[in-house]
Structure formats: structure tokens, C-alpha cells
Amino acid sequence: KDSEAGFRMSRIRFCFLIYLMLICVFGIAGSKVPRLQAFLGPVAFERFISMLACLMTVSIPFTNPWFLSRASGVADPSTLMEYEVSIDDNVLLLLDIWLTGCHMMLPIRWVTLWPVELAAILAYGVPALMFGELLLKDIIQNAVLMTILVAAAALGKRALEVHERIAFTSIATERTLRCQAEHRLVAATEG
């Protein structure tokens, strides 16, 4: 019976990993297609990318065999794995890697990323409370540390965005002054 449950569990996990890869492929492909960007417009495009990032974020905890087996109800996780308690470290690390990647790599504004940030906190807390085996104080400690990491990433993204806007304004002002000077020069030589 355990081997049948193990086979079903590995099939569920394989299908789940294919699902995650499809989200990544469509997200990457969608973010690079200029026609999609033009069709949706900038705000809808950012929301679309943010929605895909949220789907991925919410899915990450179920890459953990313990959470996946408990959520699917296929088998007792301790019979399928070599450890007898859930290990939350991998889930937290994957969530942090994903969130950092979203903040640094996605071509969207800071204000559009807040659903991904909220999803990252909830994506750990809810499965850990529902399916995890850690003590409540450990889950709360991990959730607080995850919240601090999310806040740091959000503040870093915002600071980077402010810096980019200041640099753009500086370049635009310099080009405007150069154009005005060239116009005055042409007017002075012709007049």
C-alpha cells in the first residue's frame, strides 16, 4: 500500500512541477512579447505579470513533499520520506529566492508587487499552520523573519525605483537644456 501511495505521490509531485514550469515559461515568454505588452497596456501588463508571480508564489510551498502529501491526502508523509517532521527551511529559502528574483528581475513597478509580497508571507504561514509539524512559536518566528525579508525587499525595490526616476529626470533635464542651447545657437547663426 505504501508503494502505491508513494507512486501516486510522485505522480502528483511530477504534475505539480510541470505546472510550475508552465507558469514560469508563460510568465517569461509573456514578459518578453512586445505585442502582449502593447495589447494589454502598461498597467494591465504589470498586473498580468504580478498575477503569474502570485500563482508561482502560492505554489512554492507545495514543492515540499511533506506539505504536498498532507495537502493531497495521498499518504502519511512520514512513510514516504526519510524524515518524520516537516522541514520548513527549504520552503522559506525558495520563497525568499523567488521574491528577491521578482523584485530584481521583473520589469514592473514597486506598487504592483505588493500582492506578491503578501502572497509570500501567506504562502508560508497558511500551509505551515495547516499541514506543518513545527511548534506554533517556530512557525510564528519563521513568519516574522519572512515578513522582515519581504519588507527589506520591498523597501529596496522602492529605493531603486526612486533612484531610477531621479536619474531619468536628470537625463531629461540635461537633454532639454542641450536642445534649447542648440536651438538658440541655430537662431543666433541664422538671425
Side-chain angles (χ1 to χ4, degrees):
K1 180 171 174 146
D2 281 345
S3 64
E4 180 184 328
F7 176 72
R8 285 180 52 211
M9 188 64 211
S10 63
R11 214 168 58 200
I12 289 171
R13 191 162 189 229
F14 176 75
C15 291
F16 190 73
L17 291 174
I18 294 294
Y19 157 77
L20 291 178
M21 283 191 268
L22 286 174
I23 289 175
C24 284
V25 166
F26 283 119
I28 291 169
S31 70
K32 301 298 180 193
V33 176
R35 283 187 178 169
L36 179 64
Q37 294 175 11
F39 174 74
L40 292 176
V43 174
F45 175 74
E46 285 182 335
R47 289 180 182 162
F48 171 72
I49 297 297
S50 181
M51 179 194 68
L52 286 178
C54 282
L55 280 173
M56 185 70 173
T57 303
V58 170
S59 304
I60 285 174
F62 299 104
T63 59
N64 182 328
W66 183 276
F67 287 158
L68 185 59
S69 64
R70 292 287 298 264
S72 65
V74 170
D76 179 19
S78 61
T79 62
L80 300 174
M81 294 165 283
E82 58 275 358
Y83 50 86
E84 294 188 11
V85 295
S86 71
I87 309 274
D88 293 356
D89 300 353
N90 291 340
V91 172
L92 288 166
L93 183 61
L94 283 173
L95 283 169
D96 184 40
I97 291 168
W98 176 251
L99 188 71
T100 303
C102 286
H103 279 85
M104 295 298 121
M105 305 291 284
L106 290 180
I108 58 179
R109 293 172 296 147
W110 168 75
V111 72
T112 314
L113 281 173
W114 73 264
V116 180
E117 295 161 356
L118 181 63
I121 296 167
L122 294 177
Y124 168 71
V126 172
L129 289 172
M130 291 177 67
F131 309 120
E133 293 292 320
L134 290 179
L135 297 173
L136 181 61
K137 72 176 185 71
D138 294 330
I139 293 172
I140 291 172
Q141 177 184 355
N142 288 341
V144 166
L145 292 173
M146 185 66 185
T147 304
I148 291 169
L149 285 171
V150 167
L155 292 173
K157 175 73 172 179
R158 179 65 180 148
L160 182 64
E161 191 174 296
V162 167
H163 176 72
E164 288 171 348
R165 288 178 185 216
I166 290 170
F168 176 78
T169 304
S170 173
I171 290 171
T173 303
E174 185 242 324
R175 286 187 180 174
T176 302
L177 292 173
R178 183 179 297 166
C179 185
Q180 289 171 350
E182 288 175 2
H183 178 70
R184 275 187 257 134
L185 181 64
V186 168
T189 56
E190 288 178 356

